[in-house]
Amino acid sequence: MTSHSGPEPSRPVRSWIRSSPGTHVWLAVIAFTSLVVVIVPDRTEHFLLHRHSSNIHELVKHPVEALVGSAFWIENPASLLLYAVLFEVFHANVERWLGTLRWLVIVATAHVVATLVSQDVVLMAIRDDRAPRSMAHVVDIGVSYGLAAAVGVLTYRLPGPWRWFYLVGAVAFFAVPLLTGGTFTDLGHAISLAIGLLSWPLTRSPAHPHPDILAREDEPAP
């Protein structure tokens, strides 16, 4: 379990970042790769996005690199601000609550499992002639699988009846697209949410067991 330093009331932003370092390092890398996508020529952008995709082609040729690299790129840099907000709301709160190690285990597991299962579904569809062969080369990058897992595990952070309202909303948000003709990405999101919800045992001894999502750190002992 990762321990964090005490609160710094005079420096709330610094304190918040220090309490969730993994989230902010991850976000900083995504900001850098998004900048790269913006400034490089279109041909280079096309190469980079495909090279770091976790599609069937890249998983067969470079499995580890594809799984790791795909977590640090987003296809549309204009979405960076939205992702930054989502990281602060979900990832930062889960990491701050459970500690960096457990947060990382949950989101990494979701990213890997959801990617492999969803791409296996694509492969079976190609073999059965239910999907074009070009799907083996589709751009499949982004951070949404990890986010879906964080959404799931954050369920156990909420008190009382709010937990159930939140759970119903989260399940509906990810299940409706899947049940109404969803894509392999929708399947990956649903799997990731389930992994987050199944991570309940990891929440039983949180690093910072406060009932409020945005509660400040424990006061240091006198």
Side-chain angles (χ1 to χ4, degrees):
M1 178 175 62
T2 301
S3 60
H4 302 302
S5 58
E8 299 177 82
S10 62
R11 298 178 178 179
V13 174
R14 179 180 174 181
S15 180
W16 177 257
I17 293 174
R18 289 183 64 189
S19 69
S20 49
T23 295
H24 292 94
V25 169
W26 191 3
L27 190 57
V29 175
I30 294 171
F32 174 77
T33 57
S34 297
L35 178 62
V36 170
V37 169
V38 169
I39 64 178
V40 298
D42 291 345
R43 181 177 298 180
T44 304
E45 174 190 344
H46 182 271
F47 168 79
L48 289 173
L49 294 182
H50 280 79
R51 185 66 177 79
H52 293 94
S53 289
S54 52
N55 54 37
I56 296 171
H57 177 74
E58 293 298 332
L59 284 172
V60 170
K61 293 185 63 178
H62 316 281
V64 176
E65 184 178 339
L67 286 169
V68 175
S70 61
F72 294 98
W73 296 77
I74 56 176
E75 192 168 1
N76 182 8
S79 302
L80 179 61
L81 180 58
L82 172 61
Y83 279 116
V85 172
L86 294 175
F87 266 53
E88 298 298 341
V89 172
F90 297 106
H91 279 311
N93 276 295
V94 173
E95 183 182 3
R96 190 169 185 253
W97 178 40
L98 299 182
T100 300
L101 180 58
R102 281 183 286 182
W103 161 79
L104 183 60
V105 167
I106 292 169
V107 298
T109 299
H111 176 75
V112 171
V113 172
T115 297
L116 294 178
V117 173
S118 60
Q119 288 300 318
D120 189 55
V121 170
V122 173
L123 179 59
M124 289 189 294
I126 293 174
R127 288 174 174 172
D128 295 340
D129 294 323
R130 291 181 287 107
R133 293 188 177 275
S134 60
M135 287 294 292
H137 299 269
V138 69
V139 173
D140 182 25
I141 57 174
V143 299
S144 57
Y145 292 164
L147 272 170
V151 169
V153 76
L154 199 62
T155 301
Y156 304 111
R157 177 70 155 145
L158 295 172
W162 295 109
R163 174 179 300 176
W164 303 108
F165 286 114
Y166 175 89
L167 177 61
V168 170
V171 170
F173 183 83
F174 290 108
V176 170
L178 181 62
L179 298 176
T180 54
T183 65
F184 72 90
T185 303
D186 296 318
L187 173 62
H189 289 154
I191 292 170
S192 297
L193 178 69
I195 289 173
L197 292 172
L198 291 172
S199 299
W200 171 74
L202 294 177
T203 71
R204 298 187 67 181
S205 300
H208 301 290
H210 302 290
D212 296 328
I213 291 180
L214 298 178
R216 57 189 176 87
E217 303 261 352
D218 285 333
E219 292 292 343

